[in-house]
Amino acid sequence: MKRNFLLMLSICITMISCEKDNDGVNNSISLIGDWKLKSSCGGFTGACNFPKEDYNKILLIRDSTIAEYINGTNSFTFDYEIKSHSIHDDYIYYELQFNNTTQRIKVDKSELHFEKGDFVETYSRR
C-alpha cells in the first residue's frame, strides 16, 4: 500500500512540475503577409467607411519592409523595426517604427488593425 502511494505521489509531482512547451503564442498569428483594406473606422463619430469596388488598397508586410499599394500603384515602402509587442491568446499587438513614426498594429488569425491617429484601418489577409 505504501509503495502504491509513493508511486502515485511521484507521478503527481512529475505531472505538476512539467512545463508547458508552448510559450503562449498562437503560431498561426503572423504580421507577415498580404493584407487588403476592409474598413476604416473612427474619428469624431466613430463611423466606418468601406472601400468601393474600384478602390483596392493592399499592405505587403515582409520580414523588414512594409509597402502600401493603392490600385496597383506603390504609395510607400519603408523598412520597419518591431519596437515592442504584447502577446495575447488570440492576437498580438505590435509597435512598429518606420518613417520616423511609431505605429500600433493588432494582428489576429485573419485581420490586421492598423491604428492611424483617430482611425483604425482593418485589413483582411489575402
Side-chain angles (χ1 to χ4, degrees):
M1 177 89 164
K2 184 177 182 182
R3 193 168 145 196
N4 287 341
F5 174 75
L6 291 175
L7 178 62
M8 291 302 291
L9 181 63
S10 67
I11 290 172
C12 288
I13 290 172
T14 302
M15 291 180 72
I16 290 172
S17 65
C18 288
E19 289 187 28
K20 190 175 177 183
D21 290 336
N22 187 345
D23 62 0
V25 178
N26 186 333
N27 291 329
S28 63
I29 298 174
S30 175
L31 175 66
I32 307 302
D34 297 2
W35 302 91
K36 181 175 181 173
L37 180 65
K38 184 176 172 182
S39 66
S40 178
C41 301
F44 183 72
T45 64
C48 290
N49 295 311
F50 302 93
K52 296 179 181 176
E53 285 185 32
D54 62 345
Y55 185 78
N56 192 19
K57 185 175 183 179
I58 304 293
L59 284 181
L60 302 179
I61 303 177
R62 302 299 180 251
D63 285 333
S64 62
T65 61
I66 183 169
E68 178 184 85
Y69 288 84
I70 298 176
N71 295 334
T73 302
N74 182 276
S75 302
F76 67 76
T77 300
F78 296 114
D79 291 333
Y80 72 83
E81 180 181 341
I82 297 174
K83 292 309 239 176
S84 68
H85 67 280
S86 60
I87 300 168
H88 305 270
D89 288 339
D90 297 329
Y91 60 91
I92 301 174
Y93 265 115
Y94 292 96
E95 284 196 8
L96 303 183
Q97 184 168 358
F98 61 91
N99 193 29
N100 297 321
T101 64
T102 300
Q103 298 288 332
R104 280 180 52 102
I105 296 178
K106 176 184 172 184
V107 181
D108 60 33
K109 288 182 184 178
S110 62
E111 291 185 334
L112 178 143
H113 308 275
F114 198 129
E115 295 181 10
K116 289 186 165 185
D118 292 339
F119 289 86
V120 175
E121 291 183 343
T122 298
Y123 294 80
S124 57
R125 193 176 290 280
R126 290 191 338 151

